[in-house]
Amino acid sequence: MGLSVAQKIIKEHLVKGEMIPGKEIAIRIDQTLTQDSTGTMAYLQFEAMGIDRVKTKRSVAYIDHNTLQTGPENADDHLYIQTVAKKYGIYFSKPGNGICHQVHLERFAVPGQTLLGSDSHTPTAGGIGMLAIGAGGLDVAVAMGGGEYYFIMPKIVKVNLKGRLQPWVSAKDIILELLCRLTVKGGVGKIFEYTGEGVKTLSIPERATITNMGAELGATTSIFPSDEITYEFLKAQGREKDFVEILPDPDAVYDEEIEIDLSSLVPLAACPHSPDNVVPVSELKGIKVDQVAIGSCTNSSYKDLMKVAKILEGKTIAEHVSLVISPGSKQVLSMLSQNGALASLVSAGARILECACGPCIGMGQAPRTNGISLRTFNRNFEGRSGTPSAKVYLVSPETAAASAITGYITDPRTLGDEPQVEMPKSFLINDNLIVPPAENPDEVEVIRGPNIKPFPQGKPLPEVVVGKVLVKLGDNITTDHIMPSNAKLLPYRSNIPYLSDYCLTPCDPDFPKKARENGGGFIVGGVNYGQGSSREHAALVPLYLGIKGVLAKSFARIHMANLINNGIIPMVFENPNDYDTIEEMDELKIENARDQIEKSDVLIIENVTKGLKYRMVLNLTERQRQMILHGGLLNLTKAKGMN
Ligand code: SF4
């Protein structure tokens, strides 16, 4: 039986398990990437493993998220990451060098290799034919140490691209079309693999726009074949030696199939407040725009910004519009300044921001109250822009530029002939903002500013676990409730003691105090506990406060994995009515905890205060049981070694 591109790469890297959808497998990781917001924790965890040097082929630490320096915290974090990278064999991409996914595509991504990144848009590198997966910082730390990455073998979905895009229709519209059809839940447990004649019409940055936003489908990853277009891109980046052809076998078997006729697509927009709330741009005609933001890891490549520059050339943006542009990388910005396109952008009225995530992560440029913001980004959740009442529409660079000129949401096809932009035969290569690791690690001192605090580590599970119910919560508690994140708290991502004062405070302002006074305890939740962002801090901070277990009616998948990674026991009520009998400050007790976790799928927990016993379901794989027994993934990794 023939194999698809994704299956070929998985097979080549398979360490454990079989490639059967739904079954757990483990793969070898060739490359890792981190960004600063998740990176500090990942490197503290890596240091705790006691390994001298990363074992990957290439690991890169990027600074692109928290680049505002309104106090010393972010600068302290950057210096810690820079020194830890130098010591342990990691390349360091300085602030100003660009957004992790854009720079990785340009300078590091290699077809056929595996990449694990502590950022949900890591699949961007799938545009170049890499199997690239986003994961928690601890998983990335383990991969840097040479450990395999465990995940559930996804279904492979063949996305057959027919025909070619019409003028003014772009790669962004392809992925918006898919989001419209499948919704933000449509990709869970799947890899989207693009094939068909339409693939050949798309450049690498266009392919990367599509794989980037596959994350919004909830997909494990997305991937394109590595073909002659991949070769041309790598050659233009001076990296033709990294090229390897990877095409699907003619008789490859896929689990599902979707067809998109590129020639039938029109410019699309995702309306507030979800990336799958998609309509044709023409239906939004006449909506007045306050802000246009162009950039992010989705749409900030050389080709994207050259297209915008050509559309804006000789024009002036509308009087009531603020246009902000964040180039994806120093390479992109340097080329735009060299060929004069930057002058077109500036003279049309664009405000040029640094090469970083910026407005996409809410670091500046929040729209006005009730403002309408058109963005080329990948997410438009309520409040993400920094203005809770703002309405954010996600569009292509072409639609964004057209609307900046008119001041109203505008279908770019109304502008007449589309300006053409060719992919450059050679990019401007200057890696002077990428600091290589030290040859002699002993000479490097890791500098920890006062914002770098030790992170909490789980302890092996005792025989008897006792504690009080510190809080009883309702349904759909998000990781944002558990560990709020905003521009004020983001600089403290490496300071768990500081963050712990805010744990669950949107639900119960006294929670941190109660946890401290009682030496930790239990959390009780309703349905879908821990939904939302994959935030690892929503497990690390409760661990710091001494949380031993969470009893809930059900858990969101990633948060449950993060709890287990940190040695906190997630337990599901076998009888949901038992939830009603628990009250705050009830004392709970688990007898023979180790034995129960090791041997049974149901754990008996006693409510000592009420004189009741509850049957709690454990949905754990064998490896997850070991993690709980050892007090988390880090301890298990230390105890068992990397493989
Ligand atoms: Fe995340 Fe936005 Fe940065 Fe991309 S540009 S990595 S989506 S914050």
Side-chain angles (χ1 to χ4, degrees), residues 64-65 99-101 119 121 212 296-297 357 360-361 378 384:
D64 57 3
H65 275 58
I99 304 171
C100 54
H101 308 304
D119 188 276
H121 289 98
N212 170 281
S296 90
C297 54
C357 303
C360 184
I361 191 67
N378 47 38
R384 185 175 164 101

Side-chain angles (χ1 to χ4, degrees), residues 4 71 182-183 230 237 257 418 442 484 497 519 557 576 635 637 642:
S4 75
L182 303 179
T183 81
T230 319
Q237 289 285 356
E257 193 166 336
E418 185 188 21
D442 293 342
R557 182 183 61 87
N635 291 347
T637 307
M642 283 297 165

Side-chain angles (χ1 to χ4, degrees), residues 250-472:
D251 58 343
V253 177
Y254 298 84
D255 299 297
E256 289 173 24
E257 193 166 336
I258 298 171
E259 186 168 281
I260 300 180
D261 180 1
L262 300 183
S263 44
S264 71
L265 295 183
V266 296
L268 297 170
C271 301
H273 296 286
S274 182
D276 58 0
N277 193 8
V278 174
V279 300
V281 171
S282 57
E283 286 182 17
L284 304 171
K285 187 176 148 198
I287 295 178
K288 195 171 177 190
V289 176
D290 300 287
Q291 182 192 54
V292 174
I294 298 176
S296 90
C297 54
T298 314
N299 275 128
S300 61
S301 68
Y302 170 81
K303 198 171 177 189
D304 284 333
L305 297 195
M306 278 305 294
K307 184 64 81 63
V308 171
K310 289 205 173 182
I311 296 170
L312 293 180
E313 200 175 333
K315 310 259 186 355
T316 300
I317 58 168
E319 177 178 318
H320 56 270
V321 167
S322 169
L323 169 64
V324 292
I325 299 180
S326 335
S329 69
K330 183 181 76 121
Q331 181 181 79
V332 171
L333 182 56
S334 308
M335 290 175 71
L336 296 180
S337 34
Q338 217 174 49
N339 69 12
L342 184 61
S344 302
L345 297 173
V346 173
S347 76
R351 302 161 65 185
I352 307 297
L353 308 179
E354 68 177 314
C355 306
C357 303
C360 184
I361 191 67
M363 281 289 179
Q365 311 309 327
R368 73 164 174 86
T369 305
N370 298 323
I372 301 287
S373 179
L374 239 61
R375 301 181 160 209
T376 64
F377 306 170
N378 47 38
R379 285 180 175 158
N380 60 347
F381 301 136
E382 208 164 356
R384 185 175 164 101
S385 66
T387 303
S389 64
K391 292 196 169 59
V392 175
Y393 293 78
L394 305 175
V395 295
S396 68
E398 290 84 347
T399 300
S403 307
I405 296 169
T406 63
Y408 296 86
I409 298 184
T410 300
D411 186 329
R413 292 176 298 177
T414 58
L415 293 189
D417 287 343
E418 185 188 21
Q420 294 306 308
V421 176
E422 295 299 321
M423 281 294 284
K425 290 276 171 256
S426 62
F427 289 92
L428 190 67
I429 297 159
N430 178 356
D431 290 332
N432 61 348
L433 290 189
I434 297 174
V435 183
E439 303 227 327
N440 185 356
D442 293 342
E443 287 168 7
V444 183
E445 184 199 351
V446 177
I447 301 174
R448 294 163 219 278
N451 197 39
I452 308 290
K453 296 278 191 274
F455 72 96
Q457 291 198 52
K459 295 194 183 70
L461 188 74
E463 283 303 342
V464 183
V465 182
V466 192
K468 291 208 162 110
V469 175
L470 300 173
V471 67
K472 185 176 173 184

